[in-house]
Amino acid sequence: MFGAGGGTSSYQEIEETDLIVLWGSNARETHPIFFHHVLKGVHAGARLVVVDPRRTSSAQWADNWLGIDVGTDVGLANTIAREIIHAGLHNREFIDRATTGFEEFAANVEQYTLEEGEKITGIPAEIIRDVAHAYARADRAQICWTLGITEHHNAVDNVLALINLALLCGHVGRWGSGLNPLRGQNNVQGGGDMGAIPNRLPGFQDLEKDHEARTKFERAWGVEIQPRYGWHLTQMFEAMERGDLTALYVIGENPAQSEADTTRAWELLEGLGHLVVQDIFLTATAELAHVVLPASASWCEAEGTVTNSERRVQRVRKALEPPGQAHDDIEIIAELGTRLGYPMGWSTSEDAWTELRSLSPMHAGMTYPRLEELGGIQWPCVDEQDPGSPFLHGRLWADPLEGPPAPFHAVDQAPPVDELTEDSRATATRRRCAGRRRSTSRRRTASASTSSRASGFRSPRAAGP
Amino acid sequence: MSAVPVTLRRVVELEIDGQTVRAMEGQTILQAVRALDVEIPTLCWGETLTPVNACRVCMVEVEGSRVLVPSCARKVEPGMVVRTNGDRVRHSRKMVLEFLASSVDLSTTPNAARWIEEYGAEPDRYGPAAPPAAAGERDRAHAGHHHPGDGQTAATVAQPVKIDNESYVRDYSKCILCYKCVEGCGEDWQNTFAIAVAGRGFDARIATEFDAPLPDSACVYCGNCIAVCPTGALMFKSEYDLRHAGQWDEERQTQTDTICPYCGVGCELTLHVQDNEIVKVTSPLDHSVTHGNLCVKGRFGFQFVQNREKR
Amino acid sequence: MDLRLHDTEPTSVERAAVDGVLGPPATAWEGAERSPLDGRVASTGHAARAQRHLLLPTLHAVQDRVGWISPAALDYVCKRLLIPPAEAYGVASFYSLFALEPRPATVAHVCTDIACMTRGATDFCKRLQDAGVDWLESPCLGMCERAPAALVIEAGEEPREAVLAPASVDSVVAAMDGDAPEPEAPEIRQATGLRLLRRVGLADPTSLDSYRAHGGYSALRAAFELGPAGVIREVTDSKLLGRGGAAFPTGRKWDAVARHPVRPHYLVCNADESEPGTFKDRIVIESDPFALVEAMTIAGYATGCEHGYVYLRGEYPLAWKRLQQAVTQARARGLLGDDILGQGVRFDIELRKGAGAYICGEETALFNSIEGFRGEPRNKPPFPVDEGLHGKPTVVNNVESLLNVLDIVLEGGAAFAQIGTEESTGTRLFCLCGCVQRPGLYEAPFGITLGELLDLAGGVLQGRELRSILLGGAAGVFVGPDKLDLELSFEATRAAGATLGSGVVMVFDDTVELAPILLRIAAFFRDESCGQCVPCRVGTVRQQEALLRLANGKPRGGVKTELALLGEITTAMRDASICGLGQTAANAIDSALHGLNAFPTEEAM
Ligand SMILES: Cc1cc2nc3c(=O)[nH]c(=O)nc-3n(C[C@H](O)[C@H](O)[C@H](O)COP(=O)(O)O)c2cc1C
Ligand code: SF4
Ligand code: SF4
Ligand code: SF4
Ligand code: FES
Ligand code: FES
């Protein structure tokens, strides 16, 4: 979000806000403890709006549930934006001072009248209007989202459309107002923080564009770093298809099962020249591997850190001895480095962390003892006096503005890939009305629910989700 | 710019056991007293819960008040004069402990035995315990009706343990009706409201609707009720089984804090490990993410590491 | 709110009963036929959850229609009101009038309480048993002046309730067969000195015109002339003390709420009247309901409340009917509503019915009951004037307290204060029952002596000997015949270690055994304790057990030990209970043990 990728707010702010929008998120079930914070806010009087094609258990708490047609999120957001602008409820002063691209954005949403919005989303115009006004008028407001927004082919547009709303009303960068993606799996945030994404070095430093940062890493590691973005998962599979990718090292992922098209994934993985899988289970992917490296369970058999959805870096600790030949991931990687002729120079997680702190400014102040003492620290935390950052982008409210302005992005509603027919929609609704049902995502199933971890765990509930 | 709002609170001066004490406006007498390192027993109070002041073991004397006041709920006021250990206070604590110990099994309530001794409570003086109720009998009691008996035995809440799921057991013979589980399951945290207090008077009890077994109830097995239960009436099945087999040994246990591996919320877990096995999972009450609460995955999902070799 | 319901279908009758209160469901989520909009939008947030206060009326409707509340019916209630089933069950199981297991549609609730015991209730119950009647024990039904009493309730399309007092086996059997007697008009056997009761038996309680013809609604006009602050001034000057038991100055209460910046303000009239031996509020409402409506309107006007509630105990079918009629008529004539008497004053009254729980007379328990929660008293502070009903500033007053306001407004507070004693101004309604010649409701200025009052009622029956008098009901105090010159005022009774409580004066003569009376009082408190706090929940049981041992002549460790134990229990309950119930649950027993020497110790014998 205009820079580093992470939720802008603290969980506590959700308790102290006036309006909460859960957009494409059934936090009640997927993030139950986050939802505790939502409910604190609700009991304190906050209005809850839930946007979701299904009337989920989260939606059942809502003052307004908006059961939009699948994939019409941009259409709804743009309609809300146009209504806010036409009602004169946008924050002119904030827009002028802290953003760019408003005129173009406003022109772009002009076509999204309430009537048009109703046509696109299926939500009655007056409800959209009501929610638009409520969001704009709220003193403080939060938008939170999960898979419903990000597990779409147009995920990026969806997120941008939500950011536009926050910029329009100045609902970001202040205590109680913000934009929060809720991470579906443990440490998705931490993976990004640590540079386990194709285009970033640790601390969200751009691999291609940030020469200074790259040089810093090259100097510290004594190796040259290719100034080129890597492949993300989809691209990797495409590369396998082309034969450009022949060796793969998989750590703690199970693409043979979690990919949408499992048959294709299976074939491609089987066709690799060399597949190494490091996992705590013998997963379906591991069964295809040439080499399996049994890992310890990182959350209870190893030391380290993870980062949660409020950017809080937290310590994980070893409570159990791992079974059999399983080893800590960090030991395996260090050992692998050594055998490949590059001794890492560290052997414990704290060593690795200390190195990270010297290279990633946003983590610089987070020593292990401080993480322990403060119950985790929210990045950025630039030095050892810094208590961390409960919320981001406070700079947008500085006068004059600090740093670059936040850009609006004109995005449009694209037709969804798998449009639901009227029929299937009606059936789905009928079933929903009949009572609480297991949630059947129409998109590729959340990987969390196919992971070996989840299938190893039986919910004791007799029925229902 | 990153302004986090802070609420300014005034300082209140009061007298506790003859000492002049300064406390923050909005604090309870209990907080003020604990700051002096004076012990006041509590049972129904929980640091993460709205005070219900039901157990009445924490009562203190406040000058000008006709009756004793619950220190866990009453806020400090300027000029208040509090006595935490006078005869009236000690008598009422003794009686509350006697009432509880003569009607409830306090064998797994921390500190109960010590307090009983300290306050000279004699739970036996109410006579031998009446025979335990049959399964479901207390759940069917109708408000406003009871069998008085002949007074020769002391009525109790004893009844068979409820074991109807693999995660945790409910032994209401140990329940002091402190309301904590109801609050944890309800509006204070979980908002599932699977359990509530039903019935009235001595027949009041924690219940699902019509005493439905937990798997048929709204329960989502978050275990947030277990986390706040002060008596062991609600207990992990793993703990219950080990206790039953005589193998539960807290001396042999370690407690390690780590982060839940399931979703991205980042709940802090405290793993209680005995013989390299996780025997129960809690969360620190003072953690800003969880306030001691977890969901079913964090609370009971540990089974997946332990199931590994069997898979 | 995400509920997990059982998806059991209510019967059409159950559904109709619920819909009768709540109207038909609006959306598929609440049980209506599905409309296309249901798959698009739903609003089940704050507004929907705010319906919870309809829980009690809805449960009543099901109970009245079906005779019990089945799991499926409860499930449907929960679905409609968005209440978790466990919570709704917790509420339903709190009240003794609700059945959660199937039972016959017609049931007789027979009073086994103390006033009825003096009139043969124990024997009467035995005879009912022998006659094979379906009957349930009930605490005092508030019909003590015509003891023994029974209340027959028949569930059905047209639910029936019949009060039988005095009841006989024949009348109970006949009533259960649908042959109920006409309710008897209350008899006021006092010819002079009536103020609060001046219209009883004269004005037609079903007619607003008759009420007006007897001076009704002149006080409201006077109040409008005084203005809200003026009314409060007069009430303060009158030194009126609450008649519900706690004797708190009404003017202070009103003033605090009137000044409170938080809005809205609520007015609650406490007509739960369940203190054994008390029947005054019933008689007032049955015979002069408009007076209460007018008095509440004045109270609402003075304290800035636009919304008033009357919480009437569930065992008063006639009072319920009369009050409903009165409110409807007043509303139709513009005496309630948005613009009362064209003065721009807005005030209306909602009626709520209890369901068999003495504790709901405690003001904060009453709020919880109205709000749809268990009738458990709240911690005080905060007091109702700051955080009462729905957490808002609330005036709560007893029926009799409110009734006094009419005269105060008309004659002025100062004149009112001339009546009675220095501290206890005005007159008091006394509920005389038990072993007196003419049990009934008597009105007398404070300061009348106990002996004088007994004389009004003709004293004990011929040839009997006065043994003791219970003042203030089960939560009150026994006094001996030596106390006949006790002046009946708040200050004098307090000084004598007694109480006036709710105005009960229950008389026992030499034919009444004390031990069973004490056991019944102990049983009453055990039954009626809400169960929230340990001293009361367990203390009332231990008190009962000790009394049982004494009464059976099998004390543990001797009578003296038992008396000492009871003393310790008494102290703990008094000191450490949350509310007045637990705090006073040992009062009467304690006074009998010590003042009347109910169980003489070994040395004494
Ligand atoms: C257990 C208990 C039962 C009570 N029952 C009643 C009642 O039935 N009617 C009543 O007016 N007050 C009752 N009260 C007193 C009320 O709490 C409250 O003090 C009263 O309604 C205030 O009105 P007043 O100031 O007009 O007396 C009861 C109190 C207790 C503790
Ligand atoms: S486990 Fe969770 S949902 Fe179940 S009763 Fe306990 S707190 Fe409620
Ligand atoms: S089960 Fe435990 S937490 Fe719940 S009321 Fe009983 S003792 Fe308290
Ligand atoms: S004193 Fe009795 S009735 Fe009052 S709150 Fe306590 S348990 Fe309930
Ligand atoms: S701890 Fe205060 S009343 Fe229970
Ligand atoms: S009606 Fe029976 S005691 Fe009052």
Side-chain angles (χ1 to χ4, degrees):
Chain A
M1 229 153 296
F2 8 109
T8 71
S9 314
S10 296
Y11 298 159
Q12 200 193 329
E13 289 175 64
I14 313 291
E15 300 178 13
E16 298 177 16
T17 190
D18 302 302
L19 185 131
I20 304 163
V21 185
L22 285 183
W23 199 306
S25 162
N26 185 11
R28 176 59 152 169
E29 270 161 39
T30 57
H31 300 88
I33 299 301
F34 172 77
F35 204 73
H36 282 192
H37 297 269
V38 171
L39 288 172
K40 285 268 176 204
V42 166
H43 290 317
R47 178 162 169 177
L48 179 65
V49 175
V50 174
V51 179
D52 197 310
R54 293 175 305 121
R55 186 166 175 268
T56 59
S57 44
S58 306
Q60 291 175 40
W61 281 94
D63 297 295
N64 297 98
W65 165 58
L66 274 53
I68 59 169
D69 276 336
V70 175
T72 62
D73 306 86
V74 173
L76 179 61
N78 283 356
T79 309
I80 291 174
R82 181 191 184 272
E83 177 57 27
I84 290 173
I85 296 169
H86 273 254
L89 295 173
H90 52 312
N91 189 336
R92 264 268 158 220
E93 197 246 299
F94 177 80
I95 293 169
D96 290 347
R97 202 193 56 245
T99 72
T100 55
F102 173 70
E103 299 308 329
E104 190 195 334
F105 166 71
N108 186 61
V109 298
E110 192 50 35
Q111 55 183 306
Y112 294 88
T113 60
L114 287 175
E115 296 64 38
E116 186 59 22
E118 172 164 344
K119 244 184 263 163
I120 297 172
T121 62
I123 305 301
E126 75 269 20
I127 305 278
I128 303 180
R129 179 179 178 280
D130 182 39
V131 166
H133 286 234
Y135 180 75
R137 287 182 195 277
D139 200 13
R140 300 160 295 182
Q142 294 282 353
I143 303 180
C144 311
W145 65 89
T146 328
L147 297 179
I149 278 294
T150 50
E151 293 246 325
H152 275 272
H153 62 286
N154 52 349
V156 177
D157 287 357
N158 284 349
V159 174
L160 290 175
L162 301 185
I163 295 174
N164 289 337
L165 289 179
L167 293 179
L168 196 55
C169 304
H171 284 326
V172 67
R174 287 182 301 137
W175 179 259
S177 282
L179 287 159
N180 297 291
L182 302 172
R183 305 306 185 183
Q185 277 167 291
N186 166 256
N187 210 25
V188 166
Q189 184 69 52
D193 290 6
M194 295 302 111
I197 38 177
N199 54 358
R200 292 282 189 275
L201 285 159
F204 293 99
Q205 303 176 76
D206 197 297
L207 184 55
E208 218 172 71
K209 300 187 188 115
D210 192 343
H211 296 282
E212 217 174 291
R214 200 176 58 248
T215 324
K216 179 175 62 180
F217 278 89
E218 287 178 339
R219 230 180 295 122
W221 289 346
V223 291
E224 196 186 323
I225 299 172
Q226 305 277 353
R228 229 180 327 107
Y229 288 162
W231 289 323
H232 55 66
L233 197 58
T234 317
Q235 291 166 326
M236 286 188 216
F237 274 100
E238 285 161 11
M240 285 183 229
E241 222 152 30
R242 294 194 305 271
D244 289 350
L245 178 67
T246 55
L248 192 65
Y249 178 15
V250 178
I251 307 179
E253 276 284 334
N254 187 11
Q257 228 159 26
S258 59
E259 277 304 284
D261 185 347
T262 38
T263 325
R264 167 172 170 265
W266 198 285
E267 279 168 17
L268 289 172
L269 290 168
E270 239 178 353
L272 284 169
H274 190 60
L275 177 62
V276 182
V277 173
Q278 179 171 322
D279 207 306
I280 69 169
F281 295 112
L282 193 64
T283 60
T285 312
E287 304 212 16
L288 302 174
H290 301 93
V291 179
V292 176
L293 301 168
S296 60
S298 57
W299 64 283
C300 62
E301 292 165 353
E303 301 285 331
T305 65
V306 293
T307 312
N308 74 359
S309 296
E310 56 169 358
R311 296 166 284 104
R312 183 179 298 276
V313 176
Q314 304 166 289
R315 284 275 283 112
V316 293
R317 296 180 186 82
K318 178 171 174 170
L320 299 173
E321 287 304 326
Q325 299 175 31
H327 284 275
D328 190 344
D329 289 309
I330 214 159
E331 285 170 32
I332 300 176
I333 293 170
E335 180 62 23
L336 201 64
T338 308
R339 296 213 193 167
L340 290 171
Y342 182 86
M344 299 279 183
W346 39 250
S347 55
T348 66
S349 69
E350 187 167 2
D351 291 344
W353 184 252
T354 306
E355 181 193 283
L356 179 270
R357 288 201 296 116
S358 71
L359 291 168
S360 168
M362 62 193 255
H363 295 103
M366 301 181 183
T367 63
Y368 262 32
R370 288 195 81 213
L371 289 175
E372 169 99 37
E373 187 193 334
L374 299 176
I377 300 175
Q378 290 167 282
W379 60 246
C381 169
V382 294
D383 60 41
E384 289 183 40
Q385 274 65 55
D386 187 350
S389 308
F391 63 88
L392 298 182
H393 310 307
R395 63 175 186 84
L396 294 178
W397 290 89
D399 201 4
L401 178 71
E402 290 168 11
F408 278 97
H409 289 276
V411 288
D412 272 312
Q413 175 63 46
V417 173
D418 48 353
E419 213 159 6
L420 280 177
T421 63
E422 234 348 271
D423 261 10
S424 65
R425 193 189 157 84
T427 328
T429 317
R430 247 193 317 280
R431 282 211 275 111
R432 296 202 299 267
C433 289
R436 211 148 116 179
R437 292 289 155 114
R438 177 171 293 279
S439 57
T440 43
S441 170
R442 327 208 116 258
R443 294 274 156 188
R444 96 190 141 94
T445 328
S447 44
S449 56
T450 70
S451 76
S452 335
R453 182 189 299 156
S455 48
F457 161 69
R458 268 176 307 127
S459 169
R461 298 198 71 171
Chain B
M1 256 307 100
S2 298
V4 178
V6 276
T7 18
L8 290 176
R9 289 210 267 167
R10 272 180 304 181
V11 172
V12 171
E13 210 162 87
L14 69 160
E15 187 187 308
I16 298 175
D17 294 337
Q19 239 178 301
T20 304
V21 174
R22 292 155 70 84
M24 283 303 185
E25 184 182 25
Q27 279 192 313
T28 59
I29 296 176
L30 181 70
Q31 285 171 311
V33 171
R34 288 205 168 155
L36 301 178
D37 244 355
V38 171
E39 187 190 27
I40 292 186
T42 58
L43 286 166
C44 68
W45 173 83
E47 63 180 279
T48 59
L49 302 169
T50 313
V52 287
N53 50 87
C55 77
R56 317 302 275 183
V57 76
C58 74
M59 306 302 277
V60 295
E61 237 175 309
V62 169
E63 219 169 80
S65 170
R66 187 174 44 88
V67 290
L68 302 178
V69 310
S71 62
C72 64
R74 176 64 73 82
K75 304 253 166 58
V76 293
E77 289 161 27
M80 218 175 205
V81 179
V82 179
R83 272 185 302 276
T84 66
N85 212 9
D87 287 348
R88 264 176 96 191
V89 166
R90 292 189 63 86
H91 175 73
S92 93
R93 285 198 197 144
K94 174 185 90 165
M95 295 303 286
V96 163
L97 290 164
E98 269 181 14
F99 287 162
L100 285 175
S102 63
S103 58
V104 184
D105 170 4
L106 298 181
S107 62
T108 51
T109 306
N111 298 320
R114 180 167 63 80
W115 290 333
I116 286 175
E117 184 162 333
E118 184 178 332
Y119 289 98
E122 299 169 63
D124 294 340
R125 62 175 169 153
Y126 301 94
E137 191 179 330
R138 277 185 59 80
D139 285 289
R140 282 193 303 271
H142 189 96
H145 294 264
H146 71 273
H147 298 290
D150 61 3
Q152 293 303 318
T153 55
T156 73
V157 299
Q159 58 187 304
V161 190
K162 292 185 198 262
I163 305 180
D164 53 15
N165 68 87
E166 281 301 303
S167 298
Y168 74 103
V169 304
R170 298 176 292 155
D171 185 355
Y172 289 130
S173 303
K174 292 179 172 173
C175 173
I176 58 168
L177 212 73
C178 70
Y179 288 62
K180 283 166 125 174
C181 53
V182 175
E183 293 199 295
C185 185
E187 189 155 328
D188 272 348
W189 295 111
Q190 178 58 27
N191 285 277
T192 291
F193 302 96
I195 45 174
V197 180
R200 192 165 87 193
F202 193 70
D203 296 326
R205 65 237 171 218
I206 305 296
T208 58
E209 60 278 15
F210 292 94
D211 189 29
L214 274 189
D216 295 340
S217 77
C219 177
V220 294
Y221 301 93
C222 60
N224 292 329
C225 51
I226 314 169
V228 292
C229 179
T231 63
L234 307 178
M235 195 180 270
F236 271 67
K237 181 83 168 12
S238 44
E239 174 173 348
Y240 179 82
D241 290 344
L242 283 170
R243 281 183 186 271
H244 229 65
Q247 288 168 7
W248 180 260
D249 184 358
E250 286 177 20
E251 305 270 285
R252 291 218 308 277
Q253 291 174 12
T254 56
Q255 296 186 14
T256 311
D257 287 352
T258 188
I259 303 297
C260 175
Y262 283 95
C263 76
V265 174
C267 297
E268 185 143 322
L269 309 178
T270 304
L271 305 177
H272 300 241
V273 173
Q274 179 176 325
D275 307 332
N276 210 37
E277 289 247 350
I278 299 171
V279 292
K280 77 173 169 189
V281 179
T282 57
S283 179
L285 294 176
D286 59 357
H287 196 260
S288 69
V289 173
T290 66
H291 301 281
N293 300 292
L294 294 171
C295 77
V296 59
K297 292 171 278 183
R299 185 83 62 190
F300 293 109
F302 64 85
Q303 282 140 348
F304 93 82
V305 245
Q306 279 165 203
N307 288 345
R308 256 190 299 178
E309 270 151 314
K310 291 165 210 142
R311 283 158 44 93
Chain C
M1 188 176 235
D2 54 338
L3 300 181
R4 190 170 194 228
L5 300 169
H6 291 261
D7 281 337
T8 37
E9 276 300 307
T11 64
S12 56
V13 168
E14 287 167 338
R15 184 187 295 272
V18 174
D19 292 353
V21 180
L22 304 177
T27 69
W29 310 111
E30 298 153 274
E33 283 294 304
R34 185 182 169 272
S35 84
L37 214 55
D38 289 338
R40 291 300 184 184
V41 288
S43 177
T44 43
H46 290 97
R49 288 192 296 276
Q51 306 282 298
R52 179 148 181 172
H53 66 102
L54 294 169
L55 178 59
L56 194 54
T58 313
L59 292 175
H60 265 301
V62 175
Q63 174 72 40
D64 286 352
R65 180 68 187 83
V66 194
W68 72 294
I69 299 165
S70 73
L74 194 76
D75 214 41
Y76 183 59
V77 172
C78 291
K79 185 176 203 162
R80 291 298 314 274
L81 290 173
L82 224 63
I83 298 172
E87 289 259 308
Y89 180 76
V91 171
S93 61
F94 188 83
Y95 297 99
S96 69
L97 289 182
F98 293 148
L100 292 159
E101 291 184 344
R103 74 173 184 205
T106 309
V107 189
H109 298 265
V110 181
C111 177
T112 57
D113 221 320
I114 42 181
C116 290
M117 283 173 81
T118 68
R119 300 267 165 165
T122 315
D123 186 46
F124 172 53
C125 290
K126 279 205 198 83
R127 279 180 285 124
L128 280 175
Q129 196 70 34
D130 294 342
V133 174
D134 253 318
W135 68 281
L136 295 172
E137 278 189 34
S138 169
C140 174
L141 289 167
M143 300 294 301
C144 330
E145 85 279 26
R146 286 188 266 149
L151 171 67
V152 170
I153 301 182
E154 183 182 331
E157 202 155 354
E158 279 177 22
R160 284 188 316 112
E161 287 159 305
V163 172
L164 306 160
S168 65
V169 174
D170 288 345
S171 68
V172 170
V173 171
M176 293 184 77
D177 288 342
D179 187 10
E182 274 304 298
E184 273 177 59
E187 237 180 288
I188 299 300
R189 303 171 197 219
Q190 187 183 354
T192 55
L194 295 180
R195 290 166 53 85
L196 298 170
L197 300 178
R198 63 167 71 89
R199 277 176 298 266
V200 173
L202 301 177
D204 175 357
T206 64
S207 158
L208 178 55
D209 291 327
S210 171
Y211 176 65
R212 281 189 138 151
H214 286 84
Y217 278 103
S218 46
L220 182 61
R221 288 180 196 282
F224 285 160
E225 260 157 54
L226 286 168
V231 174
I232 292 181
R233 193 175 345 102
E234 295 305 329
V235 173
T236 307
D237 288 352
S238 76
K239 298 201 254 172
L240 175 67
L241 298 178
R243 308 297 199 233
F248 189 84
T250 303
R252 284 238 306 270
K253 207 184 266 188
W254 287 23
D255 190 48
V257 171
R259 288 171 189 281
H260 209 295
V262 173
R263 301 273 151 170
H265 296 172
Y266 289 107
L267 171 69
V268 174
C269 169
N270 189 342
D272 193 49
E273 187 161 84
S274 308
E275 183 66 49
T278 318
F279 45 84
K280 64 189 178 76
D281 297 343
R282 171 181 57 80
I283 289 185
V284 166
I285 295 175
E286 284 177 355
S287 342
D288 199 8
F290 292 101
L292 180 58
V293 173
E294 182 182 0
M296 284 182 71
T297 311
I298 295 171
Y301 169 68
T303 56
C305 306
E306 295 184 346
H307 206 99
Y309 286 89
V310 182
Y311 189 94
L312 185 74
R313 75 175 293 193
E315 294 89 342
Y316 281 175
L318 181 60
W320 177 252
K321 195 167 112 193
R322 292 275 156 83
L323 208 48
Q324 274 185 322
Q325 287 170 340
V327 168
T328 313
Q329 283 187 43
R331 203 178 284 141
R333 300 276 201 90
L335 291 165
L336 287 177
D338 288 344
D339 183 17
I340 295 172
L341 290 176
Q343 299 278 319
V345 175
R346 180 197 295 244
F347 181 74
D348 212 332
I349 295 177
E350 213 172 307
L351 305 181
R352 286 304 158 91
K353 194 158 46 159
Y358 165 65
I359 189 59
C360 289
E362 197 284 335
E363 54 198 10
T364 58
L366 190 158
F367 302 150
N368 278 340
S369 180
I370 292 182
E371 290 177 25
F373 292 87
R374 292 165 54 80
E376 291 172 354
R378 300 174 186 171
N379 192 32
K380 287 189 259 189
F383 292 97
V385 290
D386 294 315
E387 292 177 35
L389 187 64
H390 300 298
K392 303 295 182 202
T394 301
V395 176
V396 48
N397 273 124
N398 173 256
V399 176
E400 183 187 347
S401 315
L402 286 166
L403 220 59
N404 277 292
V405 170
L406 298 176
D407 283 345
I408 292 172
V409 167
L410 283 171
E411 15 171 273
F416 183 92
Q418 294 304 307
I419 307 165
T421 67
E422 180 59 29
E423 287 177 43
S424 312
T425 56
T427 57
R428 178 84 228 233
L429 299 180
F430 292 101
C431 307
L432 264 90
C433 56
C435 313
V436 285
Q437 291 272 10
R438 292 189 297 274
L441 189 57
Y442 292 82
E443 178 175 6
F446 281 102
I448 186 176
T449 67
L450 186 51
E452 287 163 355
L453 190 64
L454 288 193
D455 287 345
L456 278 182
V460 293
L461 293 173
Q462 278 265 295
R464 303 274 178 81
E465 196 186 315
L466 175 66
R467 278 294 161 79
S468 63
I469 299 144
L470 178 58
L471 290 178
V477 165
F478 282 97
V479 297
D482 55 322
K483 286 285 184 343
L484 286 180
D485 48 10
L486 176 66
E487 183 189 286
L488 298 179
S489 65
F490 290 118
E491 61 272 28
T493 47
R494 196 183 318 121
T499 173
L500 286 183
S502 53
V504 175
V505 178
M506 199 184 291
V507 180
F508 302 95
D509 65 20
D510 54 347
T511 63
V512 180
E513 265 188 89
L514 191 53
I517 298 284
L518 298 185
L519 281 174
R520 182 64 184 94
I521 292 175
F524 174 80
F525 283 111
R526 174 178 178 168
D527 276 338
E528 300 300 332
S529 162
C530 80
Q532 193 181 190
C533 66
V534 174
C536 172
R537 176 177 78 238
V538 186
T540 52
V541 174
R542 297 293 178 247
Q543 162 172 281
Q544 183 192 33
E545 287 167 351
L547 281 175
L548 276 164
R549 294 192 294 268
L550 284 168
N552 295 340
K554 291 185 187 162
R556 276 177 68 82
V559 175
K560 215 171 145 190
T561 312
E562 293 285 22
L563 293 184
L565 178 66
L566 280 165
E568 289 193 44
I569 296 174
T570 303
T571 308
M573 286 203 282
R574 209 173 269 166
D575 273 353
S577 295
I578 292 180
C579 83
L581 187 148
Q583 288 161 12
T584 60
N587 279 3
I589 290 164
D590 191 56
S591 69
L593 296 180
H594 296 106
L596 305 178
N597 206 11
F599 298 104
T601 53
E602 293 84 348
E603 294 108 88
M605 285 194 289

